[in-house]
Amino acid sequence: MLVATGVLGLGLVLLVAGGEAMVRGAAALARQLGVPALIIGLTVVAFGTSAPELAVNTTAALRGDTGVVFGSIAGSNLANVGLILALCALFRPLTVHSAVITREIPMMLLATAAITVMSIDALREQEADRFDRAEGLLLLLLFAVFLYYTARDVLRKRGDDTLVQQAEVVPAGEHLHSTFASTSLVAVGLTGLVLGGRLAVTGAVDIATEAGMSQAVIGITILALGTSLPELVASVMAVRRGETDLAIGSVVGSNIFNVLFVLGTTATIAPVAVPEHGHADLLALLASGAALLVFAVGRSGITRGEGACLLAAYCAYLLWRVV
């Protein structure tokens, strides 16, 4: 158990460090190639914050350990709302920009509702509930539609869109003066992600085996919390700067990415089974998203009291899920 825990911990460290290195190197390389900051933010940075989740789940799919996939995606999205946003709201009440309410949060709810329906294979008279390759490709198609719709909407409202502000705040990488240095940093980051993903999945599976726990439970707890660290850092930094709406946009965008791109990519590689209590996880995701929308619509945004409610609900659900 001790060795497996050490392997998992090392894997999570490599995932976070690799994701950070990849984002900084790719952002610097894009700047050197003359790519606008807005495009960098909408692509490189958006992909980079969810790089740990993508690395873990594609590694698990390639290894055939898809038991951790569903749990890590569901757990990461639950942690983003119930833990990260809740802690940010406790630190400072979160003001929500209208674009987040009208575009990002509804899309997050729509994506979650879509995978909830896809998970009920009994509706199509199949034996086991799972996400197969066809559903994975459909999720990737929805992700492409979302990117197109978002980019078009952002460019139309460039002057007052919060996503533009978020996208233009990208890692500068001023110290990278050459294309070779930027490319090397990207390569190092990708190596860290690949190696970290392998170690994290190996450690998680070993812990689940030795402790007699399901891979889904390990995924929804340890892996989910570990891979959500980039979102936690980005959100806390945004709140400290007083940019509370950017914290919400970052978390909601990460949830959309996890559901549509990460799950879509993983299911395309190998079928992802819905574990026991998996439908309850999906309902919890829908409930947390609905609660976030209700709180965000309020005049005061997300208050400290509402943040405390989100945190209490998340802790209670996680305790029920583990016990």
Side-chain angles (χ1 to χ4, degrees):
M1 179 72 76
L2 184 61
V3 174
T5 303
V7 170
L8 173 61
L10 178 59
L12 292 176
V13 170
L14 288 174
L15 284 170
V16 175
E20 178 69 12
M22 188 199 70
V23 168
R24 289 191 175 277
L29 182 62
R31 284 180 184 277
Q32 292 159 6
L33 296 176
V35 178
L38 173 62
I39 303 302
I40 299 173
L42 288 176
T43 54
V44 175
V45 177
F47 279 71
T49 54
S50 289
E53 286 92 341
L54 181 61
V56 164
N57 290 298
T58 52
T59 300
L62 292 171
R63 284 168 47 103
D65 295 317
T66 56
V68 302
V69 171
F70 183 92
S72 64
I73 292 176
S76 179
N77 282 18
L78 285 172
N80 284 346
V81 175
L83 179 63
I84 295 175
L85 279 187
L87 291 177
C88 289
L90 289 174
F91 180 76
R92 176 179 295 176
L94 304 178
T95 303
V96 187
H97 194 277
S98 61
V100 177
I101 298 174
T102 59
R103 185 180 59 214
E104 271 81 18
I105 297 180
M107 185 63 195
M108 181 184 72
L109 285 170
L110 179 61
T112 307
I115 65 171
T116 301
V117 173
M118 290 179 183
S119 70
I120 309 175
D121 287 340
L123 296 176
R124 294 174 295 169
E125 298 182 354
Q126 294 185 8
E127 294 182 358
D129 292 336
R130 66 176 188 175
F131 298 94
D132 56 25
R133 180 170 286 106
E135 291 166 333
L137 292 173
L138 179 58
L139 290 175
L140 292 177
L141 176 61
L142 291 175
F143 181 69
V145 172
F146 168 71
L147 281 183
Y148 170 78
Y149 168 75
T150 301
R152 186 187 65 176
D153 198 38
V154 165
L155 292 175
R156 284 180 178 178
K157 303 175 183 178
R158 186 183 179 93
D160 59 352
D161 196 300
T162 184
L163 190 57
V164 174
Q165 304 170 35
Q166 180 184 2
E168 291 182 340
V169 180
V170 298
E174 291 90 349
H175 61 291
L176 301 177
H177 300 294
S178 68
T179 302
F180 176 77
S182 303
T183 305
S184 298
L185 193 58
V186 171
V188 170
L190 289 174
T191 302
L193 286 171
V194 172
L195 182 58
R198 286 177 176 272
L199 293 176
V201 171
T202 299
V205 171
D206 289 346
I207 289 175
T209 302
E210 294 180 24
M213 302 173 64
S214 70
Q215 293 183 9
V217 171
I218 294 296
I220 206 171
T221 53
I222 301 175
L223 274 181
L225 293 173
T227 55
S228 293
L229 288 177
E231 287 85 357
L232 176 60
V233 173
S235 299
V236 170
M237 289 179 62
V239 170
R240 289 187 62 183
R241 293 194 303 263
E243 299 168 337
T244 57
D245 52 343
L246 298 188
I248 299 176
S250 174
V251 164
V252 174
S254 175
N255 280 12
I256 296 172
F257 186 94
N258 288 343
V259 168
L260 296 182
F261 188 79
V262 177
L263 181 57
T265 301
T266 308
T268 302
I269 297 173
V272 177
V274 179
E276 185 180 6
H277 304 304
H279 296 296
D281 296 334
L282 293 174
L283 292 178
L285 284 177
L286 286 172
S288 65
L292 179 61
L293 180 60
V294 171
F295 294 158
V297 170
R299 293 183 179 180
S300 302
I302 303 176
T303 64
R304 286 189 173 91
E306 292 166 343
C309 289
L310 288 174
L311 182 60
Y314 171 74
C315 292
Y317 182 78
L318 207 62
L319 181 62
W320 172 81
R321 193 68 172 82
V322 172
V323 176

